[in-house]
DNA sequence: CTGTTAGCGCTTTCAT
DNA sequence: ATGAAAGCGCTAACAG
């Protein structure tokens, strides 16, 4: 690479000024059709590509969105990412992807890095930060949308958009399904204590249990890592301590699959000895044996709606539309018919 | 946001020149400890964050890598992405993620966009472009590494790094395993005709079959979409046409799972009536019933090695080390014991 | 050790 | 419809 073609090269070659080239590039209408065509030919001939860097310095817009997720290789988030990316691309935004690896320190680090990159906005999924850290981080960015996490205090100021799942309703629906099948001793593998989704699902579980008159179920609630292995280990423990349990509601499908494995190891048949309900309906859920009953959540839609909201906010939309709650849907399969 | 804090604000407040602030920021050693501390205090106090945009304009480095994959929500690629991202982050590079959605036109578009972003290099996974398009795109970027795809002609020029799986050896190993179990009528669900990995695996299959004296197996080769559904449909067709087949080697695990389903529907028991071998060892492979025999490939390592190679090349490493072939490992489970 | 000068490649503003 | 000048926020190269 000898020397990147600059706008000045195009201008010289075309025999016009920098401004004319700039106008052609930005589709300004005050350029004669003739000149425009000529300049476009030269651009193509020289293989010129404008520098977003130089442009960004003066326009203070980068056309980039920071997308922060705990872990792209988690199928849940990779679908959110894909949905978000799709919308961004359609509006000519690019996406800077950042994994936090569930580490709040790293989350702060990527947020700072995105600030230095001067992204036009951030999409923050399942943030593990404290309210204070979150408010600080958000205030430092031109626009922000939170996914799967709400801000208690800043909400009313409309400083941030929010897209969440109706975890409470989902948790309630899942638990009610088990109750309707006659189960009363229902354990809950609750996921990470820091997860807001987990709290919502637990609330739904509690509501359903209480409404049905089941009390003292709190000892049946056990936190766990949101993974197959986490579910397996916690299910073993919970079922060993409380063998009277006849059903398990799980934080997510991975945990539920871990529970499936644990039951296999403990020699407890599913769904006859014990029924299991997951959450999310990841593709895997339909493929394991027995197929998982679960609450379907549209991760893709979570991503698209969040990005749409963010881009709206970037464009200066100050209207209401700042909190979106997506419903979930119970999918009944073999693990809890 | 009234007015972003600039370096000039820090300099004024600290009573020093722009350069001193710049030196503190970039950890240049020719600043007195005292001044450095003072400036750092002011920076923190003002909440100053340097602009990578402005810096990039003068240094011609953006600290960003373009990562191009067909689809992040495909677990295969999301693990590659995660490996790559991990290495990039450790060296203070950020990652611009681009999905091509398997569309070559979109692939060209994102490549152009990355060029305008002036990324320091690109990592291109499973490119569907023609040799010419690929060469053109690569030549326009400061550095490039290809994953799961080779460039026939440009290789010797060392203009591009390459990281691939040893698909031929993998295909051969998988097929040989079936041959060793006594199978001779082995079908191959080949994946997309455009897939280079698919070609490699087919070559391995052919080598093994031929070496064992099996001829005229080409009619048992059937292309398919690289998905569960694609595998299911193609397996049904292939097994209906050639009911004498006793084993199937599949392009990847998703296809193999589709084949599993098809066999279930056709009433053919696995592994007794028909044995199945997949490729990749995705997490799902161990969880389906029967558990899948497959060739394990380390997607994470594909990502880390590729990013390491790219960053080396960006740093001007012109040494050999420009082609890496990662081995695969046969994992024997229940679908082909 | 610290400061001054001159751009990086574009767009904005104002002039013609 | 087109151009000239100024400057976005920073760093490289040189001075002191």
């Amino acid at each position: 690479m000898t020397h990147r073609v600059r706008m000045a090269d195009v201008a010289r070659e075309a025999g016009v000024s920098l401004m004319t080239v700039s106008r052609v590039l930005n589709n300004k209408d005050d350029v004669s059709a003739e000149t425009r065509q000529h300049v476009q030919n030269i651009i193509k001939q020289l293989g010129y590509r404008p520098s977003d860097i130089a442009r960004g310095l003066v326009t203070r817009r980068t056309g980039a969105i920071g997308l922060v997720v705990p872990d792209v290789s988690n199928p849940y988030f990779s679908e959110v990412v894909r949905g978000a990316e799709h919308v961004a691309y359609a509006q000519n935004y690019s996406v800077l992807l950042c994994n936090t690896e569930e580490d709040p320190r790293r989350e702060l680090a990527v947020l700072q890095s995105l600030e230095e990159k001067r992204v036009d906005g951030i999409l923050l999924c399942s943030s593990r930060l404290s309210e204070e850290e979150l408010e600080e981080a958000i205030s430092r960015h031109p626009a922000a949308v939170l996914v799967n996490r709400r801000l208690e205090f800043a909400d009313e100021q409309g400083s941030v958009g929010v897209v969440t799942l109706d975890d409470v309703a989902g948790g309630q629906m899942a638990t009610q399904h088990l109750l309707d099948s006659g189960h009363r001793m229902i354990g809950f593998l609750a996921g990470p204590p820091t997860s807001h989704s987990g709290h919502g699902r637990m609330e739904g579980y509690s509501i359903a249990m209480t409404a049905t008159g089941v009390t003292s179920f709190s000892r049946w609630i056990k936190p766990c890592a949101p993974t197959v292995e986490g579910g397996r280990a916690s299910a073993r423990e919970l079922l060993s301590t409380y063998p009277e349990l006849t059903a398990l509601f799980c934080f997510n499908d991975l945990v539920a699959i871990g529970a499936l494995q644990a039951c296999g190891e403990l020699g407890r048949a599913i769904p006859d000895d014990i029924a299991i309900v997951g959450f999310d309906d990841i593709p895997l859920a339909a493929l394991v044996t027995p197929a998982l009953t679960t609450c379907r959540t549209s991760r893709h839609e979570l991503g698209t709606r969040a990005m749409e909201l963010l881009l709206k906010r970037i464009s200066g939309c100050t209207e209401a539309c700042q909190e979106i709650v997506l419903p979930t849907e119970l999918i009944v399969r073999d693990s809890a018919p």
Side-chain angles (χ1 to χ4, degrees), chain A:
Chain A
M1 212 177 289
T2 38
H3 147 88
R4 259 200 181 279
V5 180
R6 302 180 308 274
M7 209 160 88
D9 300 315
V10 176
R12 189 179 346 93
E13 196 71 17
V16 295
S17 74
L18 281 179
M19 271 320 296
T20 302
V21 180
S22 174
R23 284 178 180 119
V24 169
L25 242 45
N26 295 295
N27 286 312
K28 306 276 185 192
D29 45 333
D30 44 1
V31 181
S32 75
E34 186 179 30
T35 309
R36 178 182 303 272
Q37 189 54 56
H38 177 58
V39 170
Q40 276 167 341
N41 288 342
I42 302 290
I43 287 175
K44 185 161 294 178
Q45 181 189 314
L46 263 43
Y48 169 67
R49 298 269 191 275
S51 163
D52 276 352
I53 299 290
R55 174 180 289 163
L57 188 57
V58 32
T59 60
R60 288 111 184 291
R61 293 193 51 253
T62 53
I65 301 295
L67 177 48
V68 183
V69 295
D71 175 10
V72 252
S73 69
N74 178 325
Y76 185 100
F77 294 112
S78 67
E79 283 187 55
V80 175
V81 167
R82 176 143 178 240
E85 215 256 351
H86 187 81
V87 170
Y89 182 78
Q91 305 202 31
N92 280 311
Y93 277 86
S94 56
V95 171
L96 264 156
L97 178 71
C98 305
N99 284 308
T100 66
E101 290 170 3
E102 317 264 3
D103 176 357
R105 287 161 49 83
R106 172 135 184 211
E107 189 174 342
L108 284 171
V110 302
L111 250 11
Q112 172 162 344
S113 157
L114 289 173
E115 198 186 333
E116 297 181 353
K117 290 254 168 339
R118 299 294 190 263
V119 292
D120 295 339
I122 55 168
L123 209 59
L124 198 45
C125 295
S126 302
S127 172
R128 300 287 202 254
L129 298 182
S130 69
E131 282 271 322
E132 296 72 36
E133 290 170 317
L134 208 43
E135 286 198 49
E136 156 83 5
I138 287 169
S139 72
R140 300 190 63 98
H141 280 277
V145 166
L146 258 30
V147 170
N148 282 349
R149 169 75 190 257
R150 315 170 42 153
L151 252 190
E152 302 305 330
F153 299 114
D155 263 30
E156 62 254 28
Q157 305 169 27
S159 63
V160 60
V162 171
V163 181
T164 53
L165 293 171
D166 197 341
D167 288 299
V168 178
Q172 193 172 349
M173 181 163 35
T175 310
Q176 192 61 50
H177 174 70
L178 291 167
L179 289 164
D180 289 346
S181 305
H183 295 282
R184 288 299 177 270
M185 316 279 200
I186 306 172
F188 178 43
L189 295 179
T194 52
S195 163
H196 281 241
S197 300
H199 295 167
R201 290 165 203 181
M202 172 148 55
E203 192 182 331
Y205 163 83
S206 303
I207 291 173
M209 294 293 268
T210 306
T212 310
V214 185
T215 53
S216 68
F217 50 79
S218 61
R219 62 209 161 111
W220 298 334
I221 298 176
K222 187 164 178 55
C224 63
T227 58
V228 172
E229 195 37 56
R232 203 175 70 95
S234 291
R236 286 186 78 107
E237 281 192 55
L238 191 63
L239 291 176
S240 305
T241 316
Y242 302 104
E244 67 269 30
L245 292 173
T246 65
L248 289 177
F249 170 42
C250 302
F251 171 69
N252 69 16
D253 289 341
L254 295 175
V255 169
I257 289 165
L260 241 46
Q261 295 181 345
C263 290
E265 293 160 9
L266 295 170
R268 309 205 36 182
I270 300 167
D272 297 333
D273 294 346
I274 192 152
I276 290 183
V277 177
F279 213 102
D280 287 346
D281 194 28
I282 61 177
L284 190 44
L287 298 169
V288 291
T289 312
L292 218 51
T293 293
T294 188
C295 267
R296 176 176 294 171
T297 59
S298 175
R299 281 84 63 191
H300 192 270
E301 186 175 1
L302 218 42
T304 57
R305 299 293 291 274
M307 185 61 81
E308 281 163 8
L309 181 52
L310 180 58
L311 297 184
K312 259 191 211 154
R313 294 178 63 94
I314 288 174
S315 315
C317 161
T318 55
E319 290 163 45
C321 74
Q322 307 303 18
E323 179 151 2
I324 298 173
V325 178
L326 298 179
T328 64
E329 178 193 1
L330 189 70
I331 305 293
V332 177
R333 298 202 185 89
D334 307 332
S335 70

